[in-house]
């Protein structure tokens, strides 16, 4: 599959809003303007097939708040390509670690995190209607 991964732009807002469903249009625009969304586009069709939404813990530690790939494109390496772009982008900004998380009862997302090089670094209890959030960290290299 031919995939282009890049920082999302304002022209991508409708596609991101369709895949995300959580953030207001105003918040999505802010995140796009601040380079906090990475998008995967299938080629040659030009269809958005996934994205990563970044946040910054304590305003300095990058955190994947959401990674989503459309159902028909899962298990094809889209998530790995999104992650590789995010790692390169963040390392290029001098950042050395990337954080992510998964609910305590989500075995498959936890397995994916470990498979792509994240290690477990803690748990936050009781923030998801009583379900803990397993935290992960991955070292970034300028490489």
């Amino acid at each position: 599959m031919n995939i282009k991964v890049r920082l999302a732009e304002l022209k991508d807002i409708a596609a991101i809003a369709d895949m995300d469903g959580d953030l207001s249009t105003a918040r999505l625009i802010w995140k796009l303007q601040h380079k906090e969304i990475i998008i995967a586009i299938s080629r040659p069709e030009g269809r958005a097939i996934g994205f990563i939404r970044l946040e910054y813990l304590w305003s300095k530690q990058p955190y994947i708040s959401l990674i989503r790939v459309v159902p028909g494109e899962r298990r094809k390496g889209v998530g790995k390509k999104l992650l590789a772009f995010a790692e390169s982008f963040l390392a290029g900004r001098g950042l050395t670690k990337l954080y992510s998380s998964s609910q305590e009862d989500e075995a498959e997302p936890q397995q994916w995190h470990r498979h792509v090089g994240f290690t477990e670094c803690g748990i936050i209890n009781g923030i998801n209607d009583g379900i803990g959030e397993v935290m992960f960290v991955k070292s970034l290299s300028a490489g």
Side-chain angles (χ1 to χ4, degrees):
M1 166 178 274
N2 193 355
I3 301 169
K4 167 85 172 157
V5 177
R6 59 173 171 75
L7 289 172
E9 302 169 0
L10 285 174
K11 69 180 180 180
D12 302 312
I13 195 163
I16 294 166
D18 285 345
M19 289 185 285
D20 190 316
D22 283 339
L23 297 184
S24 68
T25 300
R27 187 70 181 144
L28 284 175
I29 290 170
W30 188 94
K31 294 190 84 50
L32 290 168
Q33 291 170 335
H34 289 85
K35 300 179 181 180
E36 293 185 3
I37 300 178
I38 298 162
I39 193 167
I41 307 290
S42 67
R43 292 199 268 186
E45 331 50 69
R47 182 173 55 96
I49 58 172
F51 75 101
I52 284 179
R53 182 178 0 118
L54 296 171
E55 305 287 342
Y56 287 85
L57 304 173
W58 308 287
S59 299
K60 64 181 181 178
Q61 297 296 332
Y63 169 76
I64 296 174
S65 63
L66 184 62
I67 181 168
R68 185 157 290 155
V69 176
V70 298
E73 304 299 334
R74 293 178 184 156
R75 299 193 181 278
K76 296 180 181 179
V78 177
K80 286 181 184 176
K81 288 182 179 187
L82 283 162
L83 179 61
F85 185 96
E87 290 177 25
S88 177
F89 172 71
L90 294 167
R93 292 179 139 194
L95 297 159
T96 59
K97 292 182 180 179
L98 174 60
Y99 291 86
S100 189
S101 68
S102 170
Q103 286 189 158
E104 192 173 30
D105 62 349
E106 296 177 326
E108 190 173 339
Q110 289 175 38
Q111 181 181 354
W112 180 83
H113 279 88
R114 290 180 182 99
H115 177 73
V116 296
F118 282 91
T119 56
E120 191 174 325
C121 63
I123 188 165
I124 302 172
N125 289 312
I127 63 170
N128 301 304
D129 294 325
I131 299 167
E133 191 80 7
V134 179
M135 299 298 296
F136 293 92
V137 65
K138 183 173 187 178
S139 292
L140 302 175
S141 62

